[in-house]
Amino acid sequence: MLNLSIASPTTITFPTKPIPQIPKSVFNGIQIRHSWSIRAPLRQATLSGNRPSSSVVMMAKREEEMKEIRAKTTEEINEEVVDLKGELFMLRLQKSVRNEFKSSEFRRMRKMIARMLTVKRERELKEGINKRLSRKLDRQWKKSIVVRPPPSLKKLQEEEAAAEAEKST
């Protein structure tokens, strides 16, 4: 049954099928009531046959990545974060110059940086380093970073140098 109440004390009723009387309220505005019966199908763990769904596969890949990150030392993680941030910067430059690039790389790199920093913070918590000291150490680490070109730029420069060497010979 669909009820429509307007700011006046009169009520307009559209009968669809009889249901028990709903108690009236003191509300002086618009009120629309309709009973819906919606059933959502349950998600299945597998799509077809023995193949697992894509979310299950993605979760397994992430778990493998986290195991690989946890196997690294803190210094290696710091170096990797610096490299990934440099790569992210290069992607932003490519986007601003309107070069071709994969837009999905932005999200992938940001997620990788976040995972590495999460592992780094987990280690700090194990050592008993509180939040305030952690931020202080982060500031010191960021100041100590030596700016260097990201690996992709180094590779590009090497390729260009090799191409020039071939042309000159």
Side-chain angles (χ1 to χ4, degrees):
M1 175 182 250
L2 182 66
N3 289 333
L4 178 64
S5 300
I6 304 179
S8 67
T10 60
T11 303
I12 301 171
T13 306
F14 301 101
T16 53
K17 54 183 171 180
I19 59 170
Q21 189 66 17
I22 300 172
K24 293 204 175 207
S25 68
V26 189
F27 179 76
N28 287 333
I30 297 176
Q31 226 178 14
I32 299 175
R33 292 184 187 165
H34 190 70
S35 60
W36 296 84
S37 61
I38 299 175
R39 290 184 184 173
L42 297 174
R43 292 190 98 197
Q44 297 177 353
T46 60
L47 293 174
S48 63
N50 295 331
R51 287 184 46 200
S53 67
S54 62
S55 62
V56 173
V57 172
M58 287 300 292
M59 188 66 88
K61 284 183 181 178
R62 272 186 241 131
E63 288 299 319
E64 285 180 24
E65 286 178 5
M66 290 301 286
K67 285 179 184 175
E68 290 173 9
I69 294 171
R70 286 190 176 105
K72 295 179 181 180
T73 65
T74 307
E75 289 77 24
E76 289 174 348
I77 290 175
N78 288 340
E79 291 296 316
E80 187 97 15
V81 167
V82 171
D83 289 342
L84 284 173
K85 285 189 175 188
E87 293 290 333
L88 199 56
F89 178 72
M90 291 301 296
L91 271 178
R92 286 193 194 109
L93 282 177
Q94 286 180 351
K95 181 180 178 184
S96 67
V97 187
R98 308 248 195 268
N99 286 350
E100 290 184 18
F101 65 96
K102 290 185 179 179
S103 59
S104 62
E105 289 295 307
F106 282 106
R107 183 171 191 251
R108 189 187 64 77
M109 283 188 194
R110 283 197 320 263
K111 298 282 182 177
M112 275 300 291
I113 292 169
R115 286 186 191 112
M116 291 189 179
L117 293 177
T118 301
V119 170
K120 184 178 169 186
R121 180 64 183 140
E122 285 173 356
R123 290 181 183 168
E124 289 175 353
L125 289 173
K126 281 183 184 177
E127 294 172 7
I129 298 175
N130 64 10
K131 190 174 184 179
R132 188 173 186 176
L133 182 59
S134 173
R135 287 187 178 166
K136 184 178 177 183
L137 293 173
D138 264 352
R139 281 193 299 271
Q140 290 173 354
W141 172 68
K142 286 179 183 175
K143 287 179 182 177
S144 71
I145 294 174
V146 177
V147 180
R148 62 177 189 268
S152 65
L153 185 61
K154 289 179 186 176
K155 184 178 176 182
L156 184 66
Q157 288 172 344
E158 289 171 0
E159 289 174 358
E160 289 176 354
E164 286 181 22
E166 286 179 14
K167 287 181 182 177
S168 64
T169 56

